[in-house]
Amino acid sequence: MHELSVAQGIVDIVKQHVPEHELQSVRAIRLKIGAVAGIVQDSLEFSFGVITAESPLAGAVLAIETVPFVVKCRQCGRESLNEQGIILCSYCGSSDTNVIAGTEMQIAAIEVEDPSPEAS
Ligand SMILES: [Zn+2]
C-alpha cells in the first residue's frame, strides 16, 4: 500500500523537525498534495492514523490541501489548470507545455501547540 509508506515518510520528517518532547504537542501537519500525485487522501489519513495511534503523534491530524495540476504553455505563455493531469494548453491546444504544479507532495507546515507559559 503506497500511502502507508508515504505516511511513514511524513512521520519520519516530523520527527526530524520536532524535538521528541514536543511531538505530543503537534496538532496538525499541513500537506500540499498535487492533484495527480497519485496519493489517495482518505487512504493517507487512514495510514497516518494507524502509524501514529500508539505514538506521541496520536493527537496530530493531517490538513491536506490539494494543489491543482498546472501546465505552462511554451507557445502562448499561459497557464492551464485542471485536475486530470492533461498536459494540453487549454487556450491554444498546444502540447508544448511544462508541468509546473500538481505532481508534488510537500509538507507545508507542522503546527505545534503553543507551549504552556514557563513558570519562572
Ligand atoms: Zn497555449
Side-chain angles (χ1 to χ4, degrees):
M1 189 174 173
H2 174 58
E3 282 76 11
L4 196 60
S5 58
V6 174
Q8 185 61 57
I10 292 167
V11 169
D12 291 345
I13 290 167
V14 171
K15 285 180 176 172
Q16 283 168 22
H17 286 81
V18 179
E20 202 173 341
H21 66 277
E22 287 181 16
L23 285 176
Q24 61 193 12
S25 303
V26 174
R27 269 197 251 169
I29 299 148
R30 298 201 169 278
L31 300 175
K32 291 188 177 189
I33 298 181
V36 296
I39 294 171
V40 180
Q41 295 189 7
D42 287 350
S43 187
L44 181 61
E45 287 174 331
F46 175 79
S47 300
F48 182 80
V50 169
I51 291 173
T52 58
E54 302 293 329
S55 82
L57 283 172
V61 297
L62 297 179
I64 299 173
E65 179 188 335
T66 303
V67 179
F69 184 75
V70 182
V71 294
K72 186 175 173 67
C73 181
R74 277 192 281 239
Q75 295 301 316
C76 71
R78 299 176 79 169
E79 292 179 1
S80 310
L81 187 150
N82 66 72
E83 302 289 333
Q84 291 81 39
I86 297 167
I87 61 158
L88 296 177
C89 174
S90 56
Y91 297 97
C92 71
S94 172
S95 61
D96 188 11
T97 56
N98 286 327
V99 176
I100 59 174
T103 59
E104 66 272 66
M105 208 289 295
Q106 294 175 344
I107 294 182
I110 300 168
E111 293 186 358
V112 181
E113 205 170 317
D114 290 334
S116 44
E118 301 271 333
S120 59

